[in-house]
Amino acid sequence: MRSDDILTQIDQALDDWTVSDDAMRSRPAVDVPAERGPETSVQIMDEAGEWQEIPGIGSVEIQMDEPPIPDDFAEKWARLSKRIARAEAERARHVRAVLEAFREAVKPVAEEAGRTLAELAARTARAAEHARADDYALAPPRPARLAIPYGPARRRH
């Protein structure tokens, strides 16, 4: 065996958990089922109204003549297509009208909400400035010599 073959076997064995008693590679034969199509079953109704299966049928082919297309079908289809196009255009006009009315109705409320949010942001910024000023006035930072150390006490030498 070449070293490449051995390395290939090792690579293939990483996820292979089927081994024999002496820990040698064991690849049991796997029965691969033949490709089969769906089971075909044909049943017909007999004179008594009961269904009877016909054995030995491998496939079924149904032949059917296409119904004739009326001569005026193309004309009727064209008229239907035009009516559908007109209905879609009318629907689009209605949707645009509804959206425009909605926009006009909501515009003053949205503008007022924008002004209110801007005022709230300004007040919040002013309150934050006051809070920072009050924090420094009430509690100045402690000098390092007064800070509480973390952990166990240090030994003095």
Side-chain angles (χ1 to χ4, degrees), residues 42-125:
V42 177
Q43 296 182 352
I44 61 170
M45 189 179 292
D46 62 7
E47 295 83 20
E50 295 183 12
W51 289 99
Q52 303 293 324
E53 184 171 353
I54 302 175
I57 303 286
S59 66
V60 176
E61 183 177 330
I62 299 174
Q63 293 182 351
M64 185 171 111
D65 294 331
E66 293 183 14
I69 298 175
D71 296 334
D72 60 345
F73 176 77
E75 177 187 332
K76 289 179 179 179
W77 185 260
R79 281 198 315 246
L80 176 64
S81 298
K82 287 178 186 176
R83 288 180 70 184
I84 290 172
R86 282 195 305 268
E88 287 178 351
E90 185 68 22
R91 183 193 55 82
R93 280 194 298 277
H94 286 297
V95 168
R96 280 193 296 275
V98 167
L99 289 177
E100 182 63 29
F102 179 76
R103 186 177 67 82
E104 290 299 321
V106 171
K107 186 177 180 179
V109 175
E111 289 172 350
E112 183 61 31
R115 286 191 292 272
T116 303
L117 287 174
E119 182 182 339
L120 178 64
R123 286 184 180 186
T124 303

